[in-house]
Amino acid sequence: MLHPEPHPLEVTVLTRRFRLPNSASIEVYLATRGYEAFRKALALTPEQIIEEVKKSNLRGRGGAGFPTGLKWSFVPRGTARPKYVVANADEGEPGTCKDRLLMQYDPHALIEGMLIAGRAVEASAGYIYVRGEYRYLIEILDRAIEEARGRGFLGRNILGSGWDFDLHTHSGAGSYECGEESALLESLEGKRGVPRIRPPFPATAGLFGCPTVLNNVETFCAVPPILLEGGAAFAALGTPRNGGTRLFAISGHVRRPGVYELPMGFNLLRMIEEVAGGVREGRKLKAVIPGGSSCPVLRAEECDLAMDFDSVARAGSMLGSGGVIVMDETTCMVKAAARILRFYAHESCGFCTPCREGTAWLAKVLARLHEGGGRAEDIATVRETARNMLGRTFCPLGDAAAMPALSFVEKFREEFEAHLEGRPCPFEEVAAHA
Amino acid sequence: MKFSEQTEAKLERLLAGFPPDRKRAALVPMLLFIQDEVGAVTPEVVEEVCRRLQIAPLEVEEVLSYYSMLRRRPAGRYHLQICTNISCMLVGGAELFRHACRKLGIGNHEVSEDGLFSLEEVECIGACCWGPAMQVNYEFRHRMTPEEFDRLVEQLRRNASSQAPE
């Protein structure tokens, strides 16, 4: 079981069905107010649905935190072109493993959220783009889609409304870049996952050049509770402009790593100490990456922080995808930075020069620094390379690589210096005795 | 080229999800589903996919060279993929990978002589809270230790020898 008994501090809105036997079945879903939100949405106008989502202060759970209702409102009305709804289930940001649980334990919540989005923008079809490694989830989702079709929630003339809408699963085949929305659409069209220039944004020119609503799995899963209890009730769970709860995946050096659903704005230190059981083996906290590997790292003393988009941004980092990576005092920051940058160098699609060259340089120099071959000027090289990438790449992957590189080297400079001039990594010995 | 009933059913469902003039959209999952059966995207597979989707070989090659899960040569019967990305690294993922190399006597992207195992060091597979994590083909294994890995390898060897070769 990937999801044990909820912690008493958890607020279970999206995860409320996780512990029920057969939670993925339509019977359990219907017995727990499943598809009620959609029935409610059928009685509303598209504008009313979007208004309710706006009121909820729901912001994109994939990482960017863009207001969901506003995103939906950009889709043009009354166009003759088909419109699409796409779920980004290409969960790939290191440190993030929450969408996997939502699809495993509550696939109908995703289907219902997409249905409501489809109704709000008058779409005719939807696709769930699942990363290739999550094959078992495609099977679960396909079963759930069949069940929903069987009950008349998908297909032609849904519940006698005269509206046709169908859903399909789609598989990626190994590419982090396809989690970026425009690269995802390219992949969904059968091409390499290379990003598109924006504008135009997917809301006006997305899949096959048609208006497309594209959201993260968790974002869609938050929609049924919003319609059921009202946008204001969802907003009230969080902090101003940051509505609802969030699934935080806490990994690394904590006693109880796991995925926890907590209100937006929950304190990061409390999350580590109380919810995740504190740092393992009574060690001291050294650093936290608050929202997946692309977010700037925080030093321990910066972690007394409300975990919502705006508070984390004020602290100089990002809430990102909610992947909280905890590092204790035995962690070598040079090694951590080198590993993260090796990932971005591997995943850069190579289309634009600052990202292709920059990630490769950062990975190379950081690896050299950790392995003991670092030169005094390497620290400056990391900073300059990262600064030259920021804001100068075609898609956010360049920033995603530059931000951790820059923050590690600026916040833990002393550790980088300790590795210079052929000195061995001061942490390797600690690790060997651990 | 004809595939098994199950694979053909999957491909049919995949194609049914797109407008008839957008068949090419099925390309990425189509290659993966066929690879699951054939073991690799062989030149014959490329030809067959081109025929079915009415696209040029170059368009398939572009995709084939981009996605890390697609391969031109077969992996082992059990493809062992060990994550060493940051969350798994913090709890011993890299050590687990090194152990696996020693245990199987092969390196990254290599296949054991008997064709039973192949090994790959992979990027984040979405199991960050249950690391060190790995996949055996598509099946997740969580909270692995070197000892657990050894037991897994023995188990897979027994499975292979008890199943009659096709």
Side-chain angles (χ1 to χ4, degrees), chain A residues 273-355:
Chain A
E273 291 301 325
E274 296 180 38
V275 181
V279 176
R280 63 167 192 185
E281 292 163 43
R283 290 187 175 139
K284 266 174 41 195
L285 179 68
K286 184 191 245 182
V288 178
I289 303 175
S293 67
S294 62
C295 303
V297 65
L298 299 170
R299 291 182 72 110
E301 59 271 24
E302 296 175 293
C303 291
D304 189 1
L305 177 68
M307 288 288 273
D308 62 44
F309 288 105
D310 304 321
S311 306
V312 182
R314 272 196 300 274
S317 187
M318 297 186 310
L319 191 62
S321 59
V324 178
I325 305 168
V326 179
M327 292 173 270
D328 74 16
E329 58 190 328
T330 66
T331 315
C332 171
M333 291 292 117
V334 183
K335 185 179 177 184
R339 184 62 189 88
I340 290 172
L341 266 296
R342 196 180 112 195
F343 166 71
Y344 288 105
H346 180 261
E347 300 296 338
S348 171
C349 79
F351 174 72
C352 75
T353 314
C355 178

Side-chain angles (χ1 to χ4, degrees), chain B residues 16-48:
Chain B
F18 294 104
D21 57 334
R22 304 284 190 189
K23 276 200 288 192
R24 186 219 166 116
L27 180 57
V28 177
M30 192 170 180
L31 289 171
L32 193 61
F33 294 163
I34 293 174
Q35 175 178 283
D36 288 340
E37 179 174 326
V38 178
V41 182
T42 61
E44 295 75 35
V45 169
V46 173
E47 204 180 306
E48 178 65 17

Side-chain angles (χ1 to χ4, degrees), chain A residues 156-185:
Chain A
R156 294 200 171 277
N157 188 20
I158 295 172
L159 304 180
S161 63
W163 179 54
D164 303 339
F165 182 81
D166 212 348
L167 271 185
H168 312 277
T169 55
H170 196 88
S171 176
S175 158
Y176 169 78
E177 174 61 11
C178 288
E180 191 280 328
E181 61 177 12
S182 68
L184 185 150
L185 292 170

Side-chain angles (χ1 to χ4, degrees), chain A residues 15 105 118 122 143 161-162 196 209 219 264 307 326 371 430 432:
Chain A
T15 58
Y105 295 122
E122 299 164 314
R143 249 195 321 274
S161 63
R196 297 174 178 171
T219 311
M264 276 288 201
M307 288 288 273
V326 179
E371 284 152 18
V430 178

Side-chain angles (χ1 to χ4, degrees), chain A residues 46 75-77 79 81-86 114-127 155 158 162-167 210-213:
Chain A
V75 175
R77 296 251 153 263
T79 153
R81 287 182 301 166
K83 295 180 214 170
Y84 298 104
V85 178
V86 176
M114 292 180 77
L115 261 169
I116 295 167
R119 185 70 182 168
V121 302
E122 299 164 314
S124 58
Y127 299 90
I158 295 172
W163 179 54
D164 303 339
F165 182 81
D166 212 348
L167 271 185
C210 298
T212 303
V213 159

